[in-house]
Amino acid sequence: MLNSCTSRANSDDIKRYRENMMHRLITFLFVFLLSIGVISGAVASDVNTIFELELVPLSEIVKNPTVYDSTMAYRKISVVGNISEIGKHLITIDQDSYEIKVDHTNQHLFAGFNVGDGIKLTGQFLYDPMGTSIFYPNYVMHYPTVQMGEVNISAIISNASKFNGKYVTVTGNLTGIRSTMGAYVVDISSLDTGESLRVSYYGSTDLQAGDMVSVSGLFNGDVLYSGQMGKKRPPLSISTLIPGFTGLWTMFIIGLLVIYMKHE
């Protein structure tokens, strides 16, 4: 009788041990897969770094203009400030009582900006000891950063100044793609109207004409500058929720669930 009770107790202990290990395995797998999604999301958000270069205070540029001079040696930097004056050829921005002049030749870059607005510019500073030193921007954005979220391409085209200098996400058909100067120039057409938006993308890609894509980046000067572009996945796809989730993982989890059910 004692042996029978001992055997039953041992059997119960083994069963509880197996159930405990199975619970731990399922928990570990869930946390692991969730971590993959979080890490993938973090990597995606860090891709778009072409606008985030060395941020130099205006005071440093005014006090040490030769250090940041790009006349002889190409150097791209970022500056922030508030617009204090908008002229036909030059814009003045100030920060902590220091100011610099900014080239306003390409007025499309500044569409929708007004005196008093916070602004961030990325480009080159050219020092002129005998005249006016000027900052020549490649990208212009509102500061602090403005995120507009998902926007229709047709809405951007019809009111470009509303979205200029802000971050947007668009979805459309890739109708053209070509490589130039270390970047891809891409045409994305609206799913509704067929209107086309020009995209400049830095990085590698295997996308081709005919793909439906999602693009996130800075819209500036009638161009969407993006470091994040990929095929548009179905909204209910598990790979959308957990990037990198494949059919192999699916079969693996189903197998674990079957084993778990057998031990219940």
Side-chain angles (χ1 to χ4, degrees):
M1 181 70 177
L2 182 59
N3 291 336
S4 176
C5 292
T6 301
S7 177
R8 188 180 305 110
N10 290 337
S11 177
D12 290 342
D13 288 341
I14 293 174
K15 182 178 180 180
R16 281 194 295 270
Y17 173 78
R18 289 177 175 174
E19 290 177 348
N20 185 45
M21 291 301 295
M22 185 57 64
H23 280 296
R24 290 185 178 182
L25 180 60
I26 295 296
T27 301
F28 169 78
L29 182 61
F30 175 77
V31 172
F32 174 71
L33 292 175
L34 184 61
S35 299
I36 292 177
V38 171
I39 293 173
S40 299
V43 171
S45 65
D46 288 339
V47 169
N48 202 358
T49 59
I50 59 175
F51 320 113
E52 305 297 331
L53 300 180
E54 178 185 8
L55 185 60
V56 181
L58 296 191
S59 58
E60 287 296 315
I61 297 178
V62 174
K63 293 176 182 178
N64 303 293
T66 57
V67 174
Y68 303 98
D69 183 22
S70 189
T71 303
M72 300 300 294
Y74 180 83
R75 181 179 184 181
K76 187 182 289 186
I77 60 175
S78 294
V79 298
V80 299
N82 293 298
I83 300 175
S84 57
E85 183 180 354
I86 299 178
K88 184 176 181 180
H89 302 293
L90 294 174
I91 285 178
T92 304
I93 67 170
D94 62 62
Q95 178 191 54
D96 300 328
S97 300
Y98 294 91
E99 65 177 35
I100 63 171
K101 300 295 183 179
V102 179
D103 179 62
H104 192 210
T105 302
N106 187 356
Q107 297 185 6
H108 288 291
L109 294 179
F110 297 90
F113 284 86
N114 301 293
V115 172
D117 286 350
I119 192 170
K120 181 175 184 179
L121 309 100
T122 296
Q124 299 84 42
F125 173 73
L126 299 186
Y127 174 55
D128 183 358
M130 304 300 293
T132 302
S133 300
I134 300 175
F135 189 93
Y136 291 85
N138 297 114
Y139 315 111
V140 178
M141 64 193 78
H142 286 273
Y143 189 82
T145 300
V146 178
Q147 300 280 356
M148 299 297 287
E150 185 83 29
V151 180
N152 290 330
I153 291 176
S154 56
I156 296 176
I157 294 175
S158 63
N159 193 0
S161 62
K162 176 182 177 180
F163 301 96
N164 188 54
K166 302 173 184 178
Y167 282 85
V168 300
T169 297
V170 301
T171 298
N173 292 315
L174 196 161
T175 54
I177 180 170
R178 61 186 183 277
S179 178
T180 174
M181 300 293 290
Y184 287 95
V185 177
V186 181
D187 294 315
I188 307 293
S189 64
S190 169
L191 299 175
D192 301 324
T193 65
E195 294 175 287
S196 183
L197 181 67
R198 180 63 50 85
V199 174
S200 179
Y201 173 73
Y202 293 84
S204 60
T205 182
D206 58 357
L207 295 173
Q208 54 188 344
D211 291 337
M212 185 168 75
V213 299
S214 177
V215 184
S216 297
L218 173 72
F219 179 70
N220 187 218
D222 297 328
V223 177
L224 177 56
Y225 294 94
S226 175
Q228 185 176 342
M229 180 173 67
K231 287 186 179 181
K232 179 67 175 180
R233 295 189 178 99
L236 298 180
S237 171
I238 187 65
S239 59
T240 300
L241 300 176
I242 307 178
F245 198 98
T246 65
L248 182 61
W249 274 110
T250 304
M251 291 185 290
F252 177 62
I253 289 181
I254 291 175
L256 285 177
L257 291 176
V258 170
I259 296 173
Y260 176 73
M261 294 299 294
K262 286 184 177 180
H263 285 275
E264 280 294 304

